[in-house]
Amino acid sequence: MRPARAEIESLLRARKLDVTLTTGPARQPDAADLASTGVPTIDAALGGGFRRGHLSELVGPRSAGRTSLMCCALAAAAARGEVVALIDTCDRFDPVSAADAGLDLSRLLWVRESGNASRALRAMSLVLQAGSFGFVAFDLADVASPALRGFPFTTWMRLARVLEGTQTVAVLVAAEHLARSPGGVTVAFEPHGTSGARWAGASDRARLLHGIAMTPRVIGGR
């Protein structure tokens, strides 16, 4: 029994899936396993960036900084020459503001939905299965809680499984905690005042925080 267990653990480590192990030391990620967010303070809290091959999440109320960090991470990935994707469930993304913040739109696949969360989830699954994306964001921030609770309980497990062993970072953007994989993290933004915040955007409906000092809590991850 022990030799078989040791062999299984060795195979998991070879595929960089050892964060799922409950015994023994987990392998520390190499620099190549991490994707910088483009925000030094956030990268420091994450130990270098989001871990590739895992599902993470950005959660918090409106105007807390979650969308700004999402755009920074997309821009950083595009600047590294990666192709990135955004599943925009409620059509809230402002490409003008994102471009002003440094996102190369020519490297972005933008999937726009008008609030149909189920259809957006199918799009997310297809994008992850297609591969070749360095960073994929699934924006569910304005989706009502009942609609999210209507997803099968295995939804996030399936997405995490698709990501295993890939070089893709996937991030859920939501008002509250949804899910993360064993090597993923929750970046939780707290409500803050407006002092010191600079806004960018063409309208009140699609604004981005620009230049705010973000101090979110990082939960989970190894």
Side-chain angles (χ1 to χ4, degrees):
M1 183 68 179
R2 288 182 180 275
R5 179 173 181 172
E7 184 177 354
I8 291 172
E9 292 184 354
S10 177
L11 289 171
L12 286 171
R13 291 191 177 95
R15 288 194 59 195
K16 302 181 180 181
L17 303 180
D18 48 301
V19 293
T20 62
L21 297 176
T22 57
T23 61
R27 183 187 61 84
Q28 293 302 309
D30 300 325
D33 295 328
L34 301 172
S36 169
T37 66
V39 181
T41 54
I42 304 296
D43 285 344
L46 293 173
F50 289 114
R51 192 161 183 174
R52 296 184 186 276
H54 290 278
L55 180 68
S56 295
E57 59 180 354
L58 309 178
V59 300
R62 287 189 179 189
S63 302
R66 64 194 180 190
T67 303
S68 290
L69 181 55
M70 178 194 77
C71 287
C72 287
L74 287 168
R80 293 190 294 268
E82 299 172 11
V83 180
V84 299
L86 168 61
I87 312 303
D88 186 11
T89 307
C90 295
D91 194 15
R92 60 192 296 270
F93 178 64
D94 181 6
V96 174
S97 297
D100 289 343
L103 175 57
D104 180 357
L105 298 179
S106 70
R107 307 197 70 84
L108 171 70
L109 171 64
W110 178 20
V111 181
R112 303 173 67 181
E113 261 299 338
S114 57
N116 189 318
S118 295
R119 199 158 56 192
L121 176 60
R122 289 196 293 272
M124 177 67 171
S125 298
L126 289 172
V127 167
L128 293 182
Q129 290 168 16
S132 302
F133 291 92
F135 193 96
V136 179
F138 189 11
D139 190 349
L140 295 159
D142 286 344
V143 176
S145 293
L148 293 177
R149 288 195 296 267
F151 287 164
F153 74 95
T154 57
T155 294
W156 313 119
M157 187 184 302
R158 289 200 305 269
L159 293 184
R161 187 66 180 270
V162 173
L163 284 164
E164 286 180 359
T166 72
Q167 288 295 297
T168 301
V169 171
V171 170
L172 305 176
V173 183
E176 56 190 26
H177 169 67
L178 289 176
R180 64 173 184 262
S181 58
V185 297
T186 297
V187 181
F189 291 87
E190 306 295 341
H192 56 69
T194 57
S195 61
R198 299 196 308 274
W199 293 96
S203 68
D204 289 339
R205 177 175 173 274
R207 297 193 302 165
L208 297 177
L209 283 170
H210 185 65
I212 193 169
M214 292 181 285
T215 54
R217 293 183 298 119
V218 175
I219 306 167
R222 300 183 185 180

